[in-house]
Amino acid sequence: MMIALSFLLSFYGFLHFAMSVKKHHMDIYKGWYQAKPLSQREYWVMQAIAWLAMTASFYCAVVIWGIGIGSMAWLMLITVSALLVVALFSYRLQWFKWLWRYTCLGHKFAPPELKSSIDHRSR
Amino acid sequence: MKGPLRKTMTWLHTWSSILLGWLLFAIFLTGTLSYFRMEISHWMTPEAHVSVPSEQSMSIAAKRLAEVAPDAESWNISLPSERSNTLDLSWRNPGDNQRRRGPMEVLDASTGEQINVRETRGGDFLYRFHFELYHLPRGVSRTLVEIATLAMFIALISGIIMHRKIFSDFFMFRTKNRSLGWSDAHAVTAVLALPFHLMITFSGLILLASTLVFWGGDINRGGNGGNQGRTTDVVEAMPVERLPLPDLTRMLDTAEHELGAKVSFLLANNPMTRDAEYLFYSSERTSLLGNRFGQTIALDYDGNVREATGMFAPTDANVSAVSAINGVLRTLHEARFADTFVRWLFFIAGVSGTLMVGTGSILWATKRAKRQAGQFGFELVHTLNIASIAGLCGAVASYFWLNRVLPADMLTRQSWEINGFFIVWLIALLHAAIFRHRNAWQWQLWVSGGLFALLPVLDQFTSPVGLWGAIVDGDVLRLSFDGMCLVIGGILLSSAAYLRKKSQLVMAPNTSSSKTITEQKAITS
């Protein structure tokens, strides 16, 4: 249970890390509406969330395994969750978008309803 | 080699890794598989699949040993645990050679029936191959592996320095833009699993460091003392008073209670005598310190606690900082602390390391394909790439296949499994040399991937217990192995499919370009 939590937290952190990179940010928003470059404020918010999530995930790992084994196991855990993020990003961009929209701050930064209505009008 | 730092590093990275890349791939692949060493050994002895761990194991073992080896100098009882399903007994009769293994028996852990397992090296072959290769003098092969590790370490450091945008490209994997596909796969598998690569390379480097040092003894042996220091040297067998067999199950309870962990191994010195010493070892560990076994506890003939030793308690008297560090590195390198889940994490990191080495070698060839095709050096690398990457995977898969296909009671079957491994590898090399420009890559990847992916099917039909039975019994060892085969098979098959797609695109460039244009249109509109 704790392991799953630790994994999900690190996955969540990596989602935000990925989105705080300009190129990926553009990739994600490209299909939604006229892409808006990542603002400085957004960048810092995402970084903060990501680091918080990573810290929490590390804390969980330490609780489960203790500091010695925990730090090693955690490093492997985040390796796998980062690989998952990369796989999603490269092969299942739609799923990534969905996750971003509904579980993260996707709404805040680019409300999907608004964007889709713009899309419809322009068509 | 002259030039700015980055250029120098690129040069270093390229040449330190391509020269030993094939060896490194073999080391990485067999090493990654060795995380599942016990699982492989278990899978390769299907006779033992009927054994299901039970609570009575200890009393079964005690009864059996008191029957067959009442006068033994020592007993070894390996209880079913997370990493073994059977009850393994061995003992040493008085006057036996200290260095040789005594008689052994494998029992069904719940019924106590003796199991005749087929003769096989199991996962040990791959494990040994990982750092000693095969059939070479030990010193030579270890030195060779150590040099390859050194090259790997250099490649890692130079790779980190030469990578321009390590953070902005962190999640980059451009499958659409095909020219960068290999390079991205190389970078992604390298960067994401970087902690693993650094840890595994550095610890490997230190563990074999003594092979490059030509003076002094073999320090590798230091931190390894499990029970060697313990065995009492009985010079000759003297008639001793025999006591009735103590209640080992109760002692096991005491030991587990005292240790607060599950016991997986019992070493009994002078069993059933007044000098008896029953050493209970637990393999569960809560820290990275300590040697092979996590904690031990010694009970005397009556079941009283004689001494309990914690994690860091040295059985070999003097523990220096050096050997403590050595122990930690070894524990890390072999992931001894890992439960099934963490083991899988390490395995995935290992797979990405293997992919990193493989894609690196491929990258060298694809970068030079246009300019140097036809030159001897390029053709050599190209051929060796195919044989050492796709071919080796096929060889490993056929090692597993042979284990199940060769008759169980065949003479010298153990050596034929290994011979088969090398024969398949040799065939792969010949095939690669002849058909290197005619889809040898694709063929070998299809075949190896297919062999791996079909292993669970083979398992279903050649084991006395079907896969459904394994799920019901909770045989995690076996299911881990089958899952591992599916993962490896999936990777091989999908890279074969990727190559096929790529070659089709080259065949019909017009359709592909029109497709990308429509794709772009779809995106921009």
Side-chain angles (χ1 to χ4, degrees):
Chain A
M1 201 51 227
M2 266 309 241
I3 296 176
L5 184 66
S6 175
F7 183 81
L8 285 178
L9 278 169
S10 70
F11 180 75
Y12 195 71
F14 272 120
L15 275 184
H16 284 85
F17 272 133
M19 287 305 291
S20 73
V21 176
K22 269 183 200 151
K23 248 184 280 179
H24 301 326
H25 190 83
M26 290 292 275
D27 278 346
I28 286 292
Y29 280 104
K30 212 157 40 185
W32 282 12
Y33 67 116
Q34 280 85 355
K36 168 174 71 102
L38 183 73
S39 78
Q40 200 64 22
R41 199 181 114 252
E42 283 168 354
Y43 172 81
W44 285 116
V45 171
M46 286 184 210
Q47 285 279 317
I49 294 174
W51 281 107
L52 272 176
M54 294 311 263
T55 320
S57 150
F58 181 66
Y59 177 76
C60 291
V62 170
V63 169
I64 308 165
W65 288 295
I67 184 80
I69 295 173
S71 50
M72 208 56 227
W74 182 73
L75 284 175
M76 299 303 121
L77 194 81
I78 61 169
T79 299
V80 175
S81 69
L83 279 172
L84 193 63
V85 171
V86 170
L88 273 182
F89 210 93
S90 325
Y91 295 107
R92 289 287 179 273
L93 199 60
Q94 288 309 316
W95 297 7
F96 191 103
K97 280 184 187 172
W98 188 90
L99 276 176
W100 177 245
R101 207 180 283 189
Y102 295 111
T103 65
C104 306
L105 288 171
H107 269 294
K108 204 83 187 150
F109 289 138
E113 300 90 337
L114 188 66
K115 300 316 166 218
S116 57
S117 62
I118 290 174
D119 264 351
H120 281 299
R121 241 177 278 156
S122 66
R123 267 176 209 169
Chain B
M1 205 194 141
K2 280 180 195 153
L5 178 71
R6 192 155 272 151
K7 217 168 179 183
T8 318
M9 284 302 154
T10 312
W11 182 89
L12 191 62
H13 185 77
T14 310
W15 294 104
S16 70
S17 41
I18 192 65
L19 289 176
L20 289 155
W22 307 296
L23 182 57
L24 276 175
F25 184 84
I27 294 173
F28 250 96
L29 182 73
T30 50
T32 303
L33 289 171
S34 294
Y35 279 131
F36 288 122
R37 183 180 166 195
M38 299 296 176
E39 283 79 353
I40 292 173
S41 295
H42 176 65
W43 191 89
M44 290 177 85
T45 48
E47 293 83 2
H49 290 179
V50 290
S51 171
V52 180
S54 78
E55 293 293 310
Q56 289 96 45
S57 302
M58 189 49 120
S59 62
I60 293 171
K63 224 174 97 190
R64 178 71 188 160
L65 279 171
E67 210 173 277
V68 292
D71 304 322
E73 199 175 276
S74 67
W75 290 348
N76 289 309
I77 302 174
S78 171
L79 293 168
S81 66
E82 211 174 38
R83 307 215 56 207
S84 101
N85 281 350
T86 51
L87 181 59
D88 303 339
L89 309 177
S90 67
W91 60 91
R92 193 187 303 285
N93 289 320
D96 270 1
N97 187 344
Q98 283 285 331
R99 296 197 57 86
R100 288 198 56 180
R101 235 179 230 183
M104 297 177 59
E105 266 181 19
V106 179
L107 299 188
D108 186 314
S110 46
T111 62
E113 271 171 55
Q114 198 177 339
I115 303 173
N116 279 319
V117 292
R118 60 182 63 189
E119 190 198 343
T120 177
R121 287 290 306 275
D124 293 353
F125 167 63
L126 297 172
Y127 169 71
R128 286 276 154 193
F129 191 90
H130 171 60
F131 63 99
E132 283 178 349
L133 309 178
Y134 188 72
H135 223 298
L136 283 173
R138 184 173 282 189
V140 176
S141 54
R142 284 194 177 196
T143 310
L144 207 60
V145 171
E146 171 74 359
I147 291 171
T149 318
L150 201 60
M152 174 79 200
F153 198 59
I154 294 171
L156 273 181
I157 303 291
S158 56
I160 295 169
I161 299 175
M162 70 184 262
H163 201 317
R164 277 159 213 275
K165 296 173 271 184
I166 207 159
F167 288 108
S168 66
D169 279 355
F170 201 72
F171 300 101
M172 193 58 84
F173 189 51
R174 285 160 289 203
T175 45
K176 301 261 158 55
N177 186 350
R178 279 172 188 82
S179 63
L180 284 165
W182 288 123
S183 141
D184 283 327
H186 185 59
V188 160
T189 47
V191 172
L192 293 188
L194 194 61
F196 173 79
H197 300 327
L198 285 174
M199 180 277 286
I200 212 77
T201 314
F202 183 71
S203 57
L205 199 60
I206 300 295
L207 289 179
L208 282 182
S210 63
T211 58
L212 287 186
V213 179
F214 299 107
W215 58 91
D218 192 350
I219 51 169
N220 280 334
R221 298 272 149 203
N224 201 6
N227 49 17
Q228 286 100 325
R230 279 281 176 178
T231 41
T232 44
D233 296 312
V234 177
V235 183
E236 57 186 83
M238 294 212 282
V240 280
E241 182 201 355
R242 291 281 155 188
L243 298 175
L245 182 69
D247 187 355
L248 285 180
T249 314
R250 191 175 55 80
M251 285 165 76
L252 178 70
D253 288 342
T254 317
E256 287 190 343
H257 179 74
E258 290 286 326
L259 292 175
K262 267 198 88 65
V263 166
S264 60
F265 186 77
L266 165 65
L267 169 68
N269 286 319
N270 308 313
M272 294 165 70
T273 65
R274 202 161 282 285
D275 311 323
E277 182 185 38
Y278 298 93
L279 289 159
F280 290 84
Y281 293 83
S282 157
S283 57
E284 279 174 34
R285 42 174 77 236
T286 48
S287 127
L288 296 174
L289 293 169
N291 44 36
R292 178 163 303 170
F293 290 98
Q295 315 173 62
T296 58
I297 190 169
L299 301 183
D300 66 6
Y301 69 96
D302 210 18
N304 300 316
V305 178
R306 186 178 281 175
E307 57 181 311
T309 51
M311 293 302 294
F312 193 45
T315 42
D316 298 347
N318 49 358
V319 157
S320 63
V322 174
S323 67
I325 291 172
N326 218 317
V328 171
L329 287 177
R330 185 175 281 270
T331 308
L332 281 177
H333 193 88
E334 298 178 3
R336 277 187 188 152
F337 50 83
D339 51 23
T340 309
F341 178 75
V342 177
R343 192 165 295 281
W344 266 95
L345 292 181
F346 269 81
F347 173 74
I348 294 172
V351 166
S352 75
T354 315
L355 286 174
M356 172 187 72
V357 178
T359 50
S361 300
I362 296 171
L363 200 55
W364 190 96
T366 47
K367 269 190 179 169
R368 287 161 183 75
K370 280 196 183 120
R371 276 183 289 126
Q372 296 187 358
Q375 286 180 21
F376 176 74
F378 173 78
E379 298 297 327
L380 183 72
V381 170
H382 189 55
T383 308
L384 286 176
N385 270 351
I386 301 172
S388 68
I389 296 173
L392 179 64
C393 292
V396 171
S398 44
Y399 175 65
F400 296 145
W401 272 84
L402 282 173
N403 170 264
R404 289 296 180 84
V405 172
L406 292 179
D409 48 358
M410 176 183 165
L411 283 172
T412 66
R413 57 163 290 132
Q414 176 178 322
S415 51
W416 272 106
E417 283 175 10
I418 295 172
N419 291 346
F421 171 85
F422 286 106
I423 290 170
V424 171
W425 205 358
L426 194 68
I427 294 173
L429 180 64
L430 291 177
H431 176 261
I434 297 168
F435 295 100
R436 62 180 182 274
H437 293 304
R438 272 167 286 168
N439 287 339
W441 259 122
Q442 252 193 66
W443 276 109
Q444 295 204 8
L445 284 173
W446 284 122
V447 172
S448 325
L451 283 178
F452 263 112
L454 289 176
L455 273 171
V457 180
L458 178 74
D459 188 25
Q460 166 71 28
F461 292 112
T462 53
S463 163
V465 182
L467 279 180
W468 180 246
I471 295 171
V472 171
D473 291 346
D475 193 345
V476 180
L477 295 168
R478 206 170 137 204
L479 297 175
S480 279
F481 179 91
D482 287 330
M484 173 192 95
C485 289
L486 287 179
V487 169
I488 298 176
I491 291 173
L492 291 173
L493 288 179
S494 57
S495 41
Y498 171 73
L499 283 181
R500 190 176 67 177
K501 213 167 142 193
K502 211 169 130 183
S503 66
Q504 280 171 350
L505 286 174
V506 174
M507 295 275 211
N510 293 328
T511 50
S512 74
S513 59
S514 64
K515 195 183 161 198
T516 44
I517 288 168
T518 47
E519 267 176 9
Q520 278 171 354
K521 270 185 186 165
I523 290 165
T524 46
S525 64

